Amino acid sequence: MNSSTNENYLKTAEKNILDGNYGTAIENLTKEIARDPESLIAYRNRGVAKGILEEYEAAMEDLDKALRIDAKDVYAYYNRGNVKKDMGRYEEAMADYNKARQLDEKFAQPHFGLGEVKLKTGKADEAFEHFIEAVHLAKNSNNQKYVDLAQERIKVVLQYKRAS
């Protein structure tokens, strides 16, 4: 196989994920891993797809492997935090989000994840602060998706606080 095949597996899988075809993305990423057993991006993205499909243990294995390949991969920490959050393992999720923040102080998504965990654990004031920081960082990096998501969560926090 040539290098364009490599790019095709990764690019095709990325498109599959964007289109919501997670099973097909997993198949393409598995082919990429067979071709390159040290493909950080393939393990990371396959872990994300498995997490979305609620295959949490398999997602954790892939994200752990991604972190063995690169122990400083902020996206793997962030995404592993998401899987742990979805599993209800909030303390572990916060540890991964905080590690991602430590590795990249300008990365908005870990603050969003921390806000989600704080909201789920009834800590609305702390959730609010993390969502505000996520908006600030996302604006600075022109990441409108996370600006919008964090602003929506701020509204939820404010409603939660009014109701309490």
Side-chain angles (χ1 to χ4, degrees):
M1 288 185 199
N2 60 33
S3 64
S4 65
T5 303
N6 165 33
E7 291 176 23
N8 287 339
Y9 287 141
L10 292 175
K11 286 181 182 177
T12 301
E14 185 176 304
K15 183 178 180 337
N16 296 147
I17 289 171
L18 292 173
D19 292 342
N21 298 322
Y22 305 111
T24 305
I26 290 168
E27 290 172 13
N28 281 304
L29 293 164
T30 300
K31 289 176 186 175
E32 172 58 16
I33 290 166
R35 194 201 66 74
D36 177 6
E38 296 298 309
S39 176
L40 170 68
I41 294 169
Y43 277 106
R44 184 192 326 128
N45 289 351
R46 193 172 73 169
V48 169
K50 288 177 178 179
I52 291 168
L53 293 176
E54 299 180 4
E55 299 172 9
Y56 298 129
E57 293 303 326
M60 292 285 292
E61 288 174 19
D62 281 344
L63 293 164
D64 287 346
K65 175 63 176 176
L67 288 167
R68 284 193 297 277
I69 294 168
D70 181 356
K72 294 184 179 183
D73 187 71
V74 295
Y75 298 101
Y77 279 109
Y78 167 69
N79 287 305
R80 194 173 70 174
N82 287 340
V83 171
K84 290 175 179 178
K85 173 183 57 83
D86 292 345
M87 295 172 76
R89 294 164 53 178
Y90 300 132
E91 291 297 320
E92 293 175 48
M94 287 190 298
D96 279 344
Y97 293 141
N98 282 321
K99 181 65 175 181
R101 283 178 43 204
Q102 176 188 7
L103 291 169
D104 184 351
E105 296 173 357
K106 296 179 181 179
F107 189 34
Q109 287 89 319
H111 282 282
F112 184 83
L114 285 164
E116 289 284 290
V117 169
K118 296 296 185 176
L119 193 55
K120 287 180 179 293
T121 57
K123 298 175 181 168
D125 290 336
E126 292 176 48
F128 184 80
E129 294 302 320
H130 283 292
F131 290 133
I132 292 290
E133 186 64 16
V135 168
H136 173 74
L137 292 170
K139 280 183 180 179
N140 286 344
S141 64
N142 295 314
N143 187 340
Q144 192 59 45
K145 174 185 172 186
Y146 273 90
V147 170
D148 295 343
L149 285 171
Q151 287 176 335
E152 285 301 313
R153 298 312 280 164
I154 288 168
K155 291 176 189 174
V156 170
V157 171
L158 293 174
Q159 289 172 348
Y160 176 84
K161 289 174 72 166
R162 279 190 217 119
S164 331

